[in-house]
Amino acid sequence: MIGVGAETWLILCIALPFTLAVAAYVVGPRANLYVAWLAGLAIPLASAGLCYGVVTEGAIRYAVGGWDQPLGIALHADVLSGLMVLLSAVVGLVTCLYGHRYLGGADDASSRSYWPLWLMLWGALNALFLAGDAFNVYVTLELVTLASVGLVAMTGKAVSVRASFRYLILALAGSLAYLLGVALLYAQHGVLDLVMLGEQLGTDWASVAACAAVTVGLILKAALFPMHFWLPAAHGSAPAPVSAVLSALVVKASFYLVLRYWLDVFPASVTDVGSFVLSGLGAAAIIWGSVQALRTPRLKLLVAYSTVAQLGYLFLVLPLLRDAAQRDAVVTGLICLALAHGLAKAGAFMAAGAMQRVAGDDGMHGLRGVSVSTPVAVFAFALAGISLMGLPPAGGFGAKWVLLDASIASDNWLIAAIMLAGGLLAAGYIFRFIRVAFHTEEFAGSVVTRHRTLEWSAMALALAALLMGFLVEPISIWVANAGAAGTTQLAEVVP
Amino acid sequence: MLYAFGGVALVCLGLYGLVALEHMLRRILAVNVMGTGVFLILIASAARAEGAPDPVPHAMVLTGIVVAVSATALAVALACRVAEQEQEGRPEGEVKP
């Protein structure tokens, strides 16, 4: 990393996937293998470089095209966005391997559209995490939507086309609500830069209305409880590598924006009522999602409902951000939970995909005794489940520990209780599948077909989720450092 | 101010359509009506008490229109695909929504 500045990595993180996406489209499926390897190596390298730079040197800003504020568009990278980029890099790297194996090198319609769309999605996600401008965020949100809708519809099956249409319409409505909020912000303050907006917003009704519009738009896209209905259909009907990316990264992108706005732009405009409403919806999501996951007859739907539940945690603890003493701890917990869930969920979907390959179907009944033919995938699923349940030493455990600590320290016992109950429910639906998988005497599929790459990709992600627990400590230090740097910067500006 | 209220009315109309309508094409149109409302609000915000209007919202609306056109194209393509599949009869894997 010597000689190359963090700014270069920042640009490469966005430019590389888009360039490769266009190249993959132009060259066609002949070059799939090379595209997969090139993307899988180069983009994570750039992301790691960026993350390293952000952690060692602090937040960076880059004025695109040399145009300065307020006219220019800035790219902004700090610890939060750096770690999200890193998460996409890890999940993306494994998805490249898995996707290449899952779709095969065959020259069919789905493998032709997979690589351009997936790389486009990767680039759009990175651009979203690094955007420092409210309108640029809108554009990247739409890019993410269009690419993910394309990926869901890729197989051309009637179920997935219908699911993707519903997903598209709702996502468009969400983006428009977000844009409405941005319009209100601009009409009032005349700037779009997120940092500059944060310095100007107050508690007046227009700021609160803008905050509400932005938040409602984003939670529609993040599939928070009453607006979650599109998610299981879309995530459950997509091919496994696509579901993994959608559940691990795409919904996380909307959550990242909620967090970014609540931390940097709206800290003054968020009302107590608003944050407790979101928290209540989060609690409802945990319960409802888990109960649905306990009832659904298909494995991939189970994993998708588990996403609804896990997203609930992220919103459940938002009121704790209002307590200044707990802010750093809550931010750490939220980042860790988002990362751990991203890794574990991608692993779980990939494991489900590998089992589906063997059993020919992802119905719970067809998967009886699947541990005979895909032992590694079942093990990976269980390891990912450990993180979802929040058992030590997994990332989910560390994150929930930090959040529990914060909620008890600020006397929010109800939040702590719901988090613990959610862990129990998660254990319920994970074990529900594990039990089915070990009915070995009833196994109907063939034992011969092994999908080593598929199984071990899932395993790698599940292990990463497990080892994430050891990253909680460093992340809390980085967040604290960044917070301290932020306050000194502000202190310099004020006099 | 009149335009801003017109925009708000369009957003509400589009939102109502989105919730109430069943037909795919109508829902696409509802989203477009909603989008136009947001664009109208943006344009209205460009007006200033004196001097030339602010150009930045215009640039945003232009970009927004490009995004809306491509999203609409994708939505219409998906709706066409669904219609084709319905004409071919019940394809495999179909479940009641």
Side-chain angles (χ1 to χ4, degrees), chain A residues 71 135 138-139 142 145-147 149-150 153-159 161-162 164-166 168-170 172-174 176-177 179-180 182-184 186-187 190 192, chain B residues 11 18 24 27-28 31 34-35 38-39 41-42 45 54 56-57 59-61 63-64 67 70-72 74-75 78-79 81-82 85-86 91-95 97:
Chain A
L71 197 58
F135 189 71
Y138 166 73
V139 175
E142 290 291 46
T145 304
L146 292 181
V149 167
M154 192 175 78
T155 53
K157 280 198 204 122
V159 195
V161 176
R162 272 178 185 282
S164 64
F165 180 81
R166 222 161 125 198
L168 174 63
I169 293 290
L170 285 159
L172 285 180
L176 285 172
L179 188 62
L180 184 64
V182 173
L184 289 175
Y186 187 80
L192 286 168
Chain B
V11 170
L18 197 65
M24 284 184 151
R27 298 185 75 186
I28 297 173
V31 168
M34 201 179 149
V38 176
F39 296 153
I41 294 173
L42 265 174
S45 76
D54 183 1
V56 176
M60 291 202 279
V61 168
T63 318
V67 171
S70 37
T72 309
L74 179 58
L78 287 174
R81 182 70 73 85
V82 170
Q85 282 167 344
E86 273 177 357
E92 85 294 359
E94 179 77 28
V95 282

Side-chain angles (χ1 to χ4, degrees), chain A residues 168-325:
Chain A
L168 174 63
I169 293 290
L170 285 159
L172 285 180
S175 315
L176 285 172
Y178 171 83
L179 188 62
L180 184 64
V182 173
L184 289 175
L185 287 177
Y186 187 80
Q188 213 188 351
H189 301 288
V191 283
L192 286 168
D193 189 76
L194 293 179
V195 177
M196 290 167 87
L197 275 174
E199 287 160 9
Q200 297 189 8
L201 279 180
T203 48
D204 52 312
W205 72 268
S207 303
V208 175
C211 171
V214 165
T215 311
V216 167
L218 290 173
I219 62 173
L220 181 61
K221 301 185 76 132
L224 184 58
F225 167 60
M227 308 194 207
H228 68 279
F229 46 85
W230 57 267
L231 184 141
H235 290 196
S237 68
V242 176
S243 323
V245 172
L246 289 182
S247 259
L249 304 177
V250 173
V251 283
K252 240 23 91 43
S254 302
F255 169 73
Y256 159 82
L257 286 177
V258 173
L259 190 59
R260 161 77 61 204
Y261 267 88
W262 282 40
L263 284 177
D264 293 349
V265 184
F266 293 133
S269 321
V270 173
T271 57
D272 278 332
V273 180
S275 61
F276 276 105
V277 166
L278 278 197
S279 177
L281 293 179
I286 296 175
I287 310 286
W288 176 256
S290 306
V291 168
Q292 290 300 316
L294 282 169
R295 297 176 39 158
T296 177
R298 312 192 77 82
L299 178 60
K300 281 175 79 178
L301 278 179
L302 184 155
V303 186
Y305 274 117
S306 150
T307 300
V308 173
Q310 298 282 324
L311 284 167
Y313 288 110
L314 297 175
F315 289 96
L316 176 70
V317 292
L318 278 179
L320 303 181
L321 280 176
R322 318 260 304 142
D323 186 349

Side-chain angles (χ1 to χ4, degrees), chain A residues 51-96:
Chain A
C51 214
Y52 177 79
V54 168
V55 166
T56 51
E57 293 159 32
I60 41 175
R61 287 181 77 76
Y62 178 79
V64 177
W67 290 84
D68 249 336
Q69 297 306 318
L71 197 58
I73 295 169
L75 295 176
H76 181 92
D78 56 12
V79 173
L80 176 58
S81 42
L83 285 170
M84 292 308 283
V85 170
L86 195 65
L87 170 69
S88 351
V90 175
V91 174
L93 165 66
V94 181
T95 306
C96 276

